[in-house]
Amino acid sequence: AQKVTQAQTEISVVEKEDVTLDCVYETRDTTYYLFWYKQPPSGELVFLIRRNSFDEQNEISGRYSWNFQKSTSSFNFTITASQVVDSAVYFCALTRPLTGTASKLTFGTGTRLQVTL
Amino acid sequence: DSGVTQTPKHLITATGQRVTLRCSPRSGDLSVYWYQQSLDQGLQFLIQYYNGEERAKGNILERFSAQQFPDLHSELNLSSLELGDSALYFCASSPPRGGRNEQFFGPGTRLTVL
């Protein structure tokens, strides 16, 4: 069975601070995919990043960066110089590849990030 | 805008009633997934359809059913509604042959059962 743990329920930071959201996963699959989604107060789920298990390169996209470490089964997400607009719930998710179609996503419980002025 | 549409956006109904949630996937996507987001259960996978056929089932109650039609839109039917069914219901779609394993989510339908 697959499992995703986001131990941080809620994080509060002041604008311009850096913040890291933790994600630890469990899977027996050797090939899998990890995702981060953002859910702003409006409620929609916004895709942020996809990473497959073969690619352990860290990735940076603007103020966002992701640290994937297979050895510790972690896929952490850092926001640099946080802004009020970053306030949202962030979900880490895991899926296994299937032939012909994408597989169901297993989500963590989410981390609520509150950025204040 | 992900290209996935869901209607209605909000739904308020009473216990014991039946409702239908509708989803139209992105153009060209053959898979449709339904997820439920509730306060106590979090985001949970309910069911997946691929080109009209049920492909995978998650924690979907017997009171709930779904189908995918020939035009690939999908409907999630919830019956004998209980207070605990109040949740945000998401539909997602993915490209044929799995693509990059990405799922594109619709804006959700917020169901309130009174």
Side-chain angles (χ1 to χ4, degrees):
Chain A
Q2 301 190 320
K3 186 179 177 183
V4 176
T5 301
Q6 294 180 256
Q8 304 152 307
T9 306
E10 192 160 344
I11 300 175
S12 288
V13 298
V14 176
E15 205 177 38
K16 295 194 179 72
E17 284 185 12
D18 299 346
V19 58
T20 295
L21 310 182
D22 298 333
C23 171
V24 174
Y25 62 91
E26 295 175 32
T27 180
R28 292 185 193 154
D29 298 313
T30 53
T31 301
Y32 49 89
Y33 297 88
L34 293 160
F35 299 81
W36 276 94
Y37 284 86
K38 172 182 179 180
Q39 187 174 39
S42 51
E44 73 271 25
L45 280 169
V46 179
F47 166 79
L48 294 177
I49 190 170
R50 164 197 176 272
R51 178 52 50 90
N52 72 49
S53 52
F54 292 104
D55 183 2
E56 286 196 69
Q57 272 194 327
N58 291 333
E59 182 158 339
I60 297 175
S61 175
R63 297 186 295 107
Y64 296 168
S65 62
W66 290 270
N67 183 357
F68 175 35
Q69 292 200 335
K70 222 167 165 177
S71 59
T72 56
S73 297
S74 65
F75 186 41
N76 296 337
F77 173 32
T78 297
I79 302 175
T80 303
S82 60
Q83 299 176 1
V84 172
V85 293
D86 296 326
S87 296
V89 181
Y90 291 85
F91 291 94
C92 181
L94 171 67
T95 188
R96 62 186 352 172
L98 285 180
T99 302
T101 181
S103 173
K104 66 168 187 174
L105 287 163
T106 298
F107 285 90
T109 49
T111 297
R112 181 178 299 277
L113 174 64
Q114 185 73 35
V115 182
T116 55
L117 294 171
Chain B
D1 186 346
S2 67
V4 178
T5 60
Q6 288 187 249
T7 56
K9 196 166 173 58
H10 300 277
L11 201 48
I12 300 174
T13 188
T15 54
Q17 295 298 304
R18 173 191 169 93
V19 297
T20 297
L21 312 184
R22 184 188 167 103
C23 167
S24 292
R26 297 185 323 152
S27 177
D29 286 358
L30 300 181
S31 274
V32 167
Y33 310 76
W34 287 96
Y35 292 86
Q36 179 196 57
Q37 185 178 25
S38 61
L39 283 175
D40 51 346
Q41 300 287 337
L43 260 165
Q44 284 204 100
F45 167 73
L46 295 178
I47 197 164
Q48 177 197 358
Y49 278 83
Y50 179 81
N51 203 20
E53 293 190 3
E54 184 184 302
R55 188 70 177 246
K57 221 167 183 175
N59 298 326
I60 186 166
L61 299 171
E62 283 191 16
R63 300 183 286 108
F64 295 1
S65 65
Q67 54 184 324
Q68 186 179 27
F69 294 87
D71 68 352
L72 299 176
H73 91 271
S74 177
E75 292 180 357
L76 179 66
N77 300 295
L78 315 176
S79 61
S80 303
L81 285 168
E82 302 175 359
L83 295 177
D85 297 328
S86 295
L88 189 51
Y89 290 85
F90 286 106
C91 167
S93 73
S94 67
R97 295 181 295 282
R100 288 160 50 84
N101 255 266
E102 287 168 11
Q103 293 180 27
F104 300 87
F105 283 81
T109 292
R110 187 170 293 281
L111 173 66
T112 302
V113 182
L114 301 174

